[in-house]
Amino acid sequence: LTEAVQEHIPAGTPVALRVFGHKEVDSCRTDIEIPLGPLNPTAAAAKIAAINAMNLARTPIADSLKAVRRDLRGASGGVVVLVTDGEETCDGDPAAAVEALQASGFEVNLNIVGFAIDNADLAAQFEAWAEAGGGHYFAANDQSGLSEAIEGALRVPYVIYDQGGNEVATGQVGGNPVELDQGFYRVVVKSSTPKTFNNVDVQGEADVILKLE
């Protein structure tokens, strides 16, 4: 997380940080530790350094997801990255929380990073929740893998539409390229202030590179 705020998220980007499992033993508590605001890398790194995981704390995934709209009040949407090393243990329903968030009309994409998840069924569940939330699941088994997973999860998503307004592909800024048939497309980048590229001309097997300023 320190790498994320110091290296991967540009200073000034609107960021909020919610944490669970760090305040009380056997607790379902979830707290907003960095309220939504322009990222100050030094201040954010100091706040993260002061957070310590507590043994035997519980995992309120659903309650944390229910708080997303409140945490991001004032924003039109954004990318939510859920990092967890275990399943929901507070009798919540994360699937319902994801569904409610998507149904609310709030433009958010949910990426889930599972750390040291060795249960295939649980990993599949996380993947399903992320897909339902318009995002992706990233698996990590060590510190290096966790760094790479969080960096990937923080990439801004985009959606590609054809001339009829139909969604034909999705991707992430800085991620793997997307293959499209020849034609004209509209690309919507779901950053904190959405950016739209209209009439993107894809010709034959030529590469098309779009640049964000």
Side-chain angles (χ1 to χ4, degrees):
L1 292 177
T2 301
E3 289 178 11
V5 298
Q6 291 184 331
E7 301 176 20
H8 304 316
I9 306 175
T13 301
V15 167
L17 176 67
R18 174 170 288 277
V19 183
F20 53 78
H22 68 305
K23 293 281 191 180
E24 301 172 359
V25 173
D26 194 31
S27 171
C28 289
R29 182 171 174 170
T30 173
D31 297 87
I32 186 76
E33 293 292 350
I34 300 178
L36 182 65
L39 175 64
N40 179 321
T42 301
K47 172 64 73 172
I48 292 168
I51 295 171
N52 293 294
M54 183 168 289
N55 288 334
L56 304 180
R58 300 172 73 185
T59 308
I61 293 175
D63 284 348
S64 298
L65 292 175
K66 288 178 182 178
V68 166
R69 290 200 66 183
R70 182 170 70 251
D71 293 344
L72 300 185
R73 184 180 292 117
S76 59
V79 177
V80 174
V81 179
L82 169 67
V83 182
T84 181
D85 65 351
E87 62 185 340
E88 165 75 40
T89 58
C90 290
D91 299 323
D93 187 343
V98 172
E99 183 179 353
L101 185 60
Q102 292 297 102
S104 70
F106 192 61
E107 291 290 334
V108 66
N109 294 86
L110 171 66
N111 290 330
I112 299 178
V113 175
F115 182 60
I117 302 297
D118 56 7
N119 183 309
D121 290 339
L122 181 58
Q125 189 175 64
F126 285 155
E127 187 171 6
W129 291 345
E131 183 177 348
H136 302 277
Y137 173 65
F138 299 82
N141 295 314
D142 53 30
Q143 181 176 338
S144 174
L146 185 59
S147 295
E148 292 177 4
I150 291 177
E151 181 182 0
L154 286 167
R155 291 187 178 128
V156 177
Y158 60 83
V159 181
I160 302 174
Y161 301 90
D162 63 18
Q163 287 183 294
N166 303 301
E167 180 180 320
V168 294
T170 61
Q172 295 174 302
V173 175
N176 294 326
V178 174
E179 292 187 2
L180 298 169
D181 294 331
Q182 183 171 325
F184 288 89
Y185 298 90
R186 176 168 57 94
V187 180
V188 179
V189 181
K190 295 188 173 183
S191 50
S192 55
T193 300
K195 169 69 175 179
T196 300
F197 295 88
N198 291 305
N199 297 319
V200 177
D201 187 5
V202 176
Q203 298 183 5
E205 297 183 1
D207 291 336
V208 177
I209 299 175
L210 303 178
K211 294 185 177 181
L212 291 169
E213 297 181 355

